Amino acid sequence: DVLPPNSSCLVTRVNFSVTRAGLEGQLLGATLKQEKPELEKRKSELLQKEEDFKVQLAGLEKTLLGQLADASGNILENEPLIQSLEA
């Protein structure tokens, strides 16, 4: 556990803890990959789509907040803002 003085400046210790849920997920993924590779591929595709949707949602939220911040007067009568919400 003790690093020699000449190597301790070159490395960083990292504590990797394994949780039961994390280990179950890894084992399930390995089993699916072995037994039903098409399901594992589909799972990967769905996870990628989910991440893409999260990025898209964050962009939409940023745009909406910007439009609300720039809106003047009664926002219920602001036609461009309402049209952007309907789109």
Side-chain angles (χ1 to χ4, degrees):
D1 285 283
V2 177
L3 295 172
N6 60 345
S7 65
S8 63
C9 65
L10 302 174
V11 297
T12 302
R13 284 189 181 192
V14 179
N15 181 9
F16 290 101
S17 332
V18 177
T19 64
R20 182 180 178 100
L23 186 57
E24 285 176 357
Q26 289 178 11
L27 290 173
L28 179 61
T31 304
L32 273 178
K33 194 173 190 178
Q34 184 69 29
E35 299 292 322
K36 301 250 183 190
E38 67 278 0
L39 287 179
E40 178 64 21
K41 182 180 178 189
R42 182 72 177 135
K43 176 185 158 196
S44 296
E45 291 170 355
L46 290 172
L47 288 173
Q48 181 61 48
K49 280 186 178 183
E50 180 184 22
E51 289 304 313
D52 293 343
F53 286 141
K54 286 179 182 179
V55 169
Q56 183 181 7
L57 178 62
L60 291 170
E61 288 173 346
K62 183 177 179 181
T63 300
L64 177 59
L65 288 174
Q67 290 175 345
L68 287 171
D70 294 340
S72 59
N74 186 351
I75 61 170
L76 297 176
E77 296 174 0
N78 189 327
E79 285 297 319
L81 179 61
I82 292 174
Q83 288 174 356
S84 72
L85 290 172
E86 292 173 346

